[in-house]
Amino acid sequence: MSVVKILITILFFSFVNLGFSQDNAQTSPVPNKDLEVAMGIDIIEKLDFDYSPKITIGNESILKLVLIPTKREIIFKGLKPGRTNVTVRDSVGDVKLIYTVVITATGKSNTVSELRELIGDVEGLEIGIKGGKVYVGGEIVVPDDIGRVSQVLASYPDVLTLIELSPQTQRVIARKMTEELARNNLKEVTVRVVNKVFWLEGVVSPQQKPDGREALAVTIAKAFLPPKIINLSSASNRYASPQTSDIIDFTAVSQKKDAPPAPKMIKITSQFVELSKTYNKIFAFKWAPLMGADNSSIQFGQTASGNLSAKQSEGTLSATISNLFPKLNAAKSAGYARTIQSGMVIVRDGFNEGGRISKNTKIPFALGTGDFTKADAANIGLTLDVKPSILEQEKIELGINLSVSIAVPSGNTNPITTNNDIKTNVILKSKESAAIGGVVQNTSTTDYDNTGNDPAPTTATAGGQQPATPLFRLYRSKSYSTSKSQYVIFVTPEIIESASAGTEEIRKKFRRRE
């Protein structure tokens, strides 16, 4: 058994050594390939193995690669003159090939580089060298880029131009034409592209397509035409201004007359604002002491006492002095009130009778006393009459007659009302406000030592209150009062398409929470 084990061990090590020798025999250096790429001339390299898309470029600023793994192809594009390495790995990750790429610049490659710098960012263009010639080809997507491209290529007469306007761009222009026609009341006219020409189709009114003059639809469509690129089969000058022949008018004239447009509506809003302020100041100093008592008197003189030869003097003083100390009276009072009333009415333009809005309230009160009492009422409220008319440039002429009556606060049982009226004719622009009238009134009064309301002094006696004579009277007073009132009327007209405009905002104010 020991001999058998020895033989097995020898055979095992022999196979292992044989495997190592085979691996070493298969190991070989990575192949390196030199490649020269001229700027503007792409080179296609085809590989005989499946490569990994993760290819390493030494200097990406001078070389660009386009990978096509399904066909085992790599396209080399030179960007700038220089030298760099490209490492290619297989799908396992092992390095299979290393390129040493030299990018050179020739006269044509310099032209390609300049064109790429000038118009390389234009969408849809391709710049390169084919058949020994520099070419610019593709389909321009943005119409505004046509002028830029034509200006640049005018400096390169040897460059082969293979540019067309993208059909998708023409369809976008046709859609914009249709939208603009609808905005100008040509909603039945459509635009479509046929063989790179814009066709106008639909029905228009006689006013929109008069005899002997260009139709309105054609005039609007021409404004959207970009600079035209002549077909490749045409002359050498491939850029030209847009022409009317680029648009074909197939619109038909409707025999039915258009209905006159509905008259517009005008919303008039009026605000009445009244502001009143009052201020009173009183200062008084009064001192009027009284001597009051029954049979009070002061006597001075001589009387006889039986002896004619003898004389004596007698005097009596009997009295009660009231209001011995002076009295002061000082008071200040101020008041402020503001009244705002607003009215809004919608009137059709050109309506002869105009519009009216009225809001009135009656305040009842009794007039007279006793058997002669009768009932009466005071009217307060607002009445607005207006006749609007629309002029040019959204200006509105307004004939306004506004009457406002308000109640004035007072201590009387009968109400006191103030009437404010204004009648005018003004011109305003839609949605603009203006103060169309108002009155300002200031009143100031100053009184000095005014005793007109001061009652006569009295004294109490057995028979009741009797007039009394003060020993002396000292009275000083000053009363100052000022009152300011003003009212202003504002008006705001607005042109609306329908009387329903703005109702949603009003509904929100009255909407109840569920």
Side-chain angles (χ1 to χ4, degrees):
M1 294 296 294
S2 60
V3 176
V4 175
K5 290 182 179 179
I6 293 172
L7 292 174
I8 294 174
T9 303
I10 293 172
L11 291 173
F12 174 77
F13 281 105
S14 299
F15 282 114
V16 171
N17 292 331
L18 181 61
F20 278 115
S21 62
Q22 291 179 351
D23 290 340
N24 293 332
Q26 293 177 356
T27 303
S28 60
V30 179
N32 195 317
K33 183 176 181 180
D34 295 333
L35 187 64
E36 183 177 352
V37 179
M39 291 177 55
I41 302 177
D42 300 339
I43 294 180
I44 301 175
E45 281 288 309
K46 190 171 183 65
L47 306 180
D48 57 357
F49 60 90
D50 294 333
Y51 63 87
S52 172
K54 296 181 180 180
I55 297 178
T56 305
I57 303 176
N59 188 353
E60 295 181 352
S61 63
I62 64 174
L63 181 65
K64 179 182 178 182
L65 300 180
V66 178
L67 306 180
I68 309 177
T70 56
K71 295 186 177 182
R72 297 182 177 181
E73 292 179 352
I74 301 176
I75 301 176
F76 290 79
K77 292 178 175 288
L79 303 178
K80 294 180 181 179
R83 184 186 182 92
T84 185
N85 292 330
V86 177
T87 303
V88 183
R89 299 177 181 269
D90 59 13
S91 58
V92 180
D94 297 334
V95 178
K96 299 293 291 182
L97 183 60
I98 297 177
Y99 286 96
T100 301
V101 184
V102 177
I103 298 95
T104 60
T106 62
K108 295 180 180 179
S109 62
N110 288 335
T111 302
V112 171
S113 178
E114 292 174 0
L115 290 175
R116 286 177 177 173
E117 185 177 356
L118 293 172
I119 57 175
D121 58 341
V122 176
E123 185 178 357
L125 288 188
E126 179 183 354
I127 304 172
I129 301 175
K130 287 185 178 181
K133 293 185 178 181
V134 179
Y135 76 97
V136 178
E139 295 179 345
I140 294 182
V141 178
V142 182
D144 293 341
D145 292 335
I146 297 176
R148 175 184 169 189
V149 173
S150 62
Q151 186 71 22
V152 172
L153 294 181
S155 302
Y156 297 87
D158 296 333
V159 175
L160 182 62
T161 305
L162 304 173
I163 301 175
E164 296 280 355
L165 186 63
S166 173
Q168 179 63 28
T169 303
Q170 290 183 315
R171 287 191 287 269
V172 172
I173 295 174
R175 185 171 65 251
K176 291 183 178 180
M177 289 180 179
T178 304
E179 293 174 355
E180 189 62 28
L181 291 172
R183 293 191 187 99
N184 288 271
N185 202 23
L186 293 165
K187 299 181 180 180
E188 297 184 5
V189 180
T190 60
V191 183
R192 63 190 179 105
V193 180
V194 179
N195 195 21
K196 299 183 180 180
V197 178
F198 297 96
W199 284 15
L200 303 183
E201 300 172 325
V203 179
V204 297
S205 64
Q207 294 80 11
Q208 295 168 345
K209 193 175 182 179
D211 295 336
R213 287 188 294 171
E214 186 177 75
L216 177 61
V218 176
T219 304
I220 296 174
K222 285 175 59 178
F224 288 85
L225 284 178
K228 184 179 180 181
I229 300 178
I230 306 299
N231 196 307
L232 290 174
S233 60
S234 300
S236 58
N237 184 12
R238 303 206 52 239
Y239 304 97
S241 301
Q243 302 176 2
T244 308
S245 58
D246 298 333
I247 299 175
I248 301 179
D249 185 9
F250 290 106
T251 57
V253 178
S254 175
Q255 301 300 326
K256 181 179 65 175
K257 294 184 178 180
D258 294 339
K264 294 184 178 181
M265 310 298 291
I266 306 173
K267 180 174 70 173
I268 297 96
T269 305
S270 177
Q271 287 85 22
F272 168 83
V273 181
E274 182 167 13
L275 178 67
S276 62
K277 295 181 180 180
T278 59
Y279 177 77
N280 296 319
K281 181 179 179 181
I282 300 174
F283 176 80
F285 177 89
K286 180 180 179 183
W287 192 16
L290 306 177
M291 181 179 66
D294 292 341
N295 300 323
S296 61
S297 63
I298 300 177
Q299 296 180 355
F300 296 95
Q302 296 179 348
T303 60
S305 59
N307 186 359
L308 296 176
S309 62
K311 294 182 179 180
Q312 62 180 0
S313 299
E314 294 180 354
T316 62
L317 176 61
S318 176
T320 300
I321 299 177
S322 60
N323 298 334
L324 181 61
F325 300 100
K327 295 182 179 179
L328 295 177
N329 183 16
K332 294 181 180 180
S333 63
Y336 171 85
R338 182 174 65 177
T339 303
I340 300 177
Q341 295 195 35
S342 177
M344 188 272 290
V345 63
I346 297 177
V347 188
R348 177 173 61 85
D349 178 30
F351 185 53
N352 295 329
E353 297 183 4
R356 163 176 283 197
I357 184 172
S358 178
K359 176 191 175 185
N360 292 291
T361 302
K362 289 187 177 182
I363 302 177
F365 63 93
L367 184 65
T369 58
D371 296 337
F372 300 98
T373 303
K374 66 176 183 177
D376 202 349
N379 292 327
I380 61 173
L382 177 144
T383 301
L384 172 64
D385 292 318
V386 60
K387 291 183 179 181
S389 178
I390 299 178
L391 306 178
E392 295 180 354
Q393 299 178 354
E394 292 189 348
K395 292 183 179 179
I396 305 172
E397 181 180 3
L398 298 174
I400 300 174
N401 190 356
L402 179 64
S403 176
V404 180
S405 178
I406 61 174
V408 179
S410 65
N412 301 331
T413 56
N414 297 343
I416 300 176
T417 60
T418 300
N419 296 324
N420 301 278
D421 298 323
I422 185 170
K423 183 177 182 180
T424 184
N425 188 284
V426 296
I427 296 177
L428 288 176
K429 198 169 183 180
S430 178
K431 296 184 180 180
E432 290 185 352
S433 301
I436 61 173
V439 173
V440 178
Q441 180 178 352
N442 294 334
T443 303
S444 179
T445 305
T446 304
D447 292 335
Y448 294 94
D449 299 335
N450 187 357
T451 60
N453 297 327
D454 190 22
T458 59
T459 183
T461 62
Q465 295 289 336
Q466 299 294 331
T469 302
L471 293 177
F472 58 87
R473 182 188 296 272
L474 179 60
Y475 185 82
R476 292 290 183 270
S477 69
K478 180 180 179 181
S479 175
Y480 173 77
S481 63
T482 179
S483 175
K484 295 182 179 181
S485 64
Q486 60 181 348
Y487 81 88
V488 183
I489 296 174
F490 298 91
V491 65
T492 305
E494 180 181 357
I495 300 175
I496 58 178
E497 295 295 334
S498 172
S500 62
T503 55
E504 184 63 26
E505 182 178 355
I506 298 175
R507 290 175 181 174
K508 291 180 180 179
K509 295 181 180 180
F510 293 94
R511 186 175 297 168
R512 296 183 301 176
R513 295 183 178 179
E514 296 296 338

